[in-house]
């Protein structure tokens, strides 16, 4: 991706589903090498078993040092700049929002871990991946598919009342 556009090629049903629910701008390229450089993130979308196989077999030694590899969720892996992640964005928000006392983060997968670690209070739903659960302050009693964010807001309201 560049700052304002997500470039993709060889779309599959997983990418098209994400595209349909995203507010981001998408542009199809004839080949991934035709995306503008430098890029912030390369997302590899496919069926879960293919993504798992790719993640287990990718040769990370071939990747430039300024990039990192991780799972986003079962349909996607990412290669992104170390500086282009949710944790870095959260730290920037902390700097800009000087009147805010605490920042709360909610995440569920590997690409959320730096954000969870940089938040003042971090929460994950019950069906988050283990690495995310281990990085969070609170594991919620509900999952992503059953109002985890609403549950987290109620939990925060109760924490504030105490």
């Amino acid at each position: 991706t560049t700052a304002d556009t997500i470039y993709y090629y060889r779309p599959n049903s997983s990418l098209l589903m994400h595209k349909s629910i995203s507010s981001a701008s998408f542009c199809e390229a004839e080949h991934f090498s035709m995306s503008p450089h430098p890029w912030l993130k390369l997302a590899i979308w496919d069926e879960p078993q293919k993504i798992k196989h790719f993640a287990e077999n990718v040769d990370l030694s071939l990747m430039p040092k300024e990039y990192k590899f991780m799972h986003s969720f079962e349909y996607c892996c990412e290669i992104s700049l170390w500086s282009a992640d949710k944790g870095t964005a959260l730290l920037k928000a902390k700097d800009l929002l000087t009147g805010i006392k605490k920042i709360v983060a909610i995440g569920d997968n590997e690409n959320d871990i730096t954000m969870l670690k940089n938040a003042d209070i971090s929460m994950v739903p019950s069906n988050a991946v283990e690495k995310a659960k281990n990085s969070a302050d609170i594991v919620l009693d509900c999952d992503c598919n059953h109002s985890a964010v609403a549950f987290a807001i109620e939990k925060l309201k109760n924490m504030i009342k105490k």
Side-chain angles (χ1 to χ4, degrees):
T1 59
T2 61
D4 57 353
T5 303
I6 297 172
Y7 291 84
Y8 66 91
Y9 85 109
R10 290 182 23 194
N12 62 21
S13 60
S14 302
L15 179 125
L16 295 175
M17 180 274 306
H18 186 71
K19 182 180 172 187
S20 73
I21 62 172
S22 175
S23 61
S25 173
F26 285 77
C27 181
E28 188 165 4
E30 290 182 31
H31 189 266
F32 75 89
S33 64
M34 299 178 82
S35 299
H37 288 80
W39 45 268
L40 301 176
K41 177 171 71 172
L42 170 66
I44 299 108
W45 292 78
D46 214 323
E47 301 305 317
Q49 68 276 10
K50 291 180 181 178
I51 289 298
K52 183 175 189 239
H53 181 265
F54 177 79
E56 291 170 350
N57 293 287
V58 67
D59 185 354
L60 298 177
S61 69
L62 299 175
M63 196 166 53
K65 299 279 187 240
E66 65 269 20
Y67 290 93
K68 63 182 170 183
F69 175 85
M70 74 186 90
H71 265 105
S72 304
F73 61 102
E74 64 181 335
Y75 291 96
C76 184
C77 288
E78 299 176 4
I79 299 171
S80 65
L81 286 171
W82 281 96
S83 61
D85 65 17
K86 295 176 184 182
T88 304
L90 187 136
L91 291 175
K92 184 68 173 173
K94 278 184 176 182
D95 287 343
L96 295 172
L97 302 170
T98 56
I100 302 294
K101 292 182 182 174
K102 293 200 182 281
I103 293 184
V104 178
I106 303 170
D108 66 348
N109 221 310
E110 287 183 34
N111 63 337
D112 298 317
I113 290 172
T114 57
M115 174 185 68
L116 294 168
K117 288 181 176 180
N118 290 337
D120 297 305
I121 301 170
S122 58
M123 299 181 180
V124 295
S126 60
N127 62 337
V129 298
E130 283 303 311
K131 287 180 181 180
K133 286 180 181 178
N134 293 336
S135 299
D137 299 314
I138 300 167
V139 177
L140 300 168
D141 293 330
C142 63
D143 65 33
C144 293
N145 303 317
H146 295 94
S147 305
V149 173
F151 189 82
I153 291 169
E154 287 302 313
K155 189 164 193 69
L156 286 169
K157 284 177 165 177
N158 292 332
M159 289 168 67
I160 291 169
K161 288 178 185 176
K162 292 179 181 179

